[in-house]
Amino acid sequence: MRWRDQDIIDSGFEWVAGGMRAEFPAQVSSFVPLGFAAYARLLHPLSCTDSAGDEVWLRWADAARALGADVHRQMQLVAILSRPSGQDLRTSPPERRVPAGSWESQIPELASILGRHTSTPDDCYFAFWEGNSAFDDIAPETPKLTIQGMRFFVVKGPVVNASSPFHGLSPTLWWPQDRAWLVATPDDFPCTYVGGDAKCIADISRSRIFEALPALPSDPVSAQSDTRNWIVDRPG
């Protein structure tokens, strides 16, 4: 599926902003509405280059172990990489305990799981942040979803379209008509948050495709919130 500018819709998404909380520092509930029975954080694999010059993808847990960082529920990638080990994982990745692919390659599996946990898999919304220059040619009067001062273009289609880019970009938010779950990948974040019922989140967590951790709406999301790995007095 290739989205077109004329696919942008102007209604059906007002509830999303109402369920989020403008907390500072930001929390999970800043990106996923309150009210879901369970939440998960899906960690995007780190892109590295092996000795043969090939791109490989590294899970956070493998990166943490290689750098002597703690593996725990609220670990943050920037905090893990802040460890002064002298090892550059991006050019010298360690042995991987669990093979991983890019986050983009994992989206179809997530869509497949989520499609089984909604009564409206053919009616889903996909929101794309308008701030990217890729959208500069869209008319400024085009309808948008506004969340905490940020505006998004919204299109609608089946859940399998979650991996379909719009102007070359993946959706920041996506959810079904029946509001059974919501997926959020905040701009420039190395992870994705999902809210849904307990069985939905359990099915995601059981999949070997993802590196998934349980989350709470009140969990902080900054690198500094990983107090077990963040180096306060970093050298240089």
Side-chain angles (χ1 to χ4, degrees):
M1 167 85 186
R2 187 180 182 88
W3 300 113
R4 303 166 301 169
D5 292 356
Q6 54 264 44
D7 293 327
I8 296 173
I9 61 175
D10 61 1
S11 63
F13 43 68
E14 296 79 4
W15 72 277
V16 177
M20 296 184 187
R21 295 294 178 264
E23 302 288 352
F24 185 82
Q27 301 176 350
V28 172
S29 60
S30 302
F31 307 110
V32 181
L34 295 168
F36 290 109
Y39 297 79
R41 182 166 60 118
L42 310 185
L43 312 181
H44 299 181
L46 179 66
S47 175
C48 306
T49 303
D50 66 14
S51 58
D54 296 323
E55 185 175 40
V56 296
W57 297 90
L58 188 67
R59 288 194 168 199
W60 291 23
D62 286 333
R65 281 187 285 266
L67 297 177
D70 287 343
V71 177
H72 64 102
R73 186 179 71 81
Q74 295 192 59
M75 62 181 174
Q76 299 289 343
L77 184 61
V78 172
I80 291 170
L81 298 180
S82 74
R83 309 289 293 186
S85 69
Q87 181 178 1
D88 186 350
L89 298 185
R90 296 181 187 275
T91 57
S92 181
E95 180 180 353
R96 297 177 296 164
R97 292 191 181 181
V98 180
S102 68
W103 167 245
E104 288 72 21
S105 73
Q106 297 178 11
I107 294 176
E109 171 69 6
L110 180 59
S112 176
I113 293 173
L114 292 174
R116 301 193 292 270
H117 289 278
T118 171
S119 62
T120 58
D122 293 326
D123 292 300
C124 295
Y125 297 83
F126 305 89
F128 299 80
W129 179 52
E130 69 147 12
N132 193 288
S133 59
F135 295 119
D136 285 351
D137 60 346
I138 295 182
E141 65 273 15
T142 302
K144 306 173 188 70
L145 162 66
T146 300
I147 302 175
Q148 300 171 24
M150 299 182 67
R151 293 180 292 274
F152 302 84
F153 297 117
V154 181
V155 294
K156 192 175 183 182
V159 69
V160 295
N161 287 358
S163 57
S164 299
F166 185 33
H167 285 244
L169 303 174
S170 297
T172 302
L173 303 166
W174 40 295
W175 66 92
Q177 175 72 43
D178 66 1
R179 308 180 188 181
W181 43 259
L182 184 140
V183 179
T185 306
D187 190 52
D188 292 332
F189 271 56
C191 59
T192 289
Y193 298 97
V194 185
D197 65 31
K199 190 174 186 306
C200 173
I201 299 304
D203 284 353
I204 292 171
S205 300
R206 277 194 294 264
S207 172
R208 291 181 58 82
I209 297 295
F210 312 115
E211 185 175 17
L213 296 173
L216 297 172
S218 58
D219 284 347
V221 300
S222 70
Q224 294 90 334
S225 68
D226 182 359
T227 56
R228 291 166 59 174
N229 290 314
W230 182 255
I231 306 300
V232 177
D233 297 318
R234 293 195 290 174

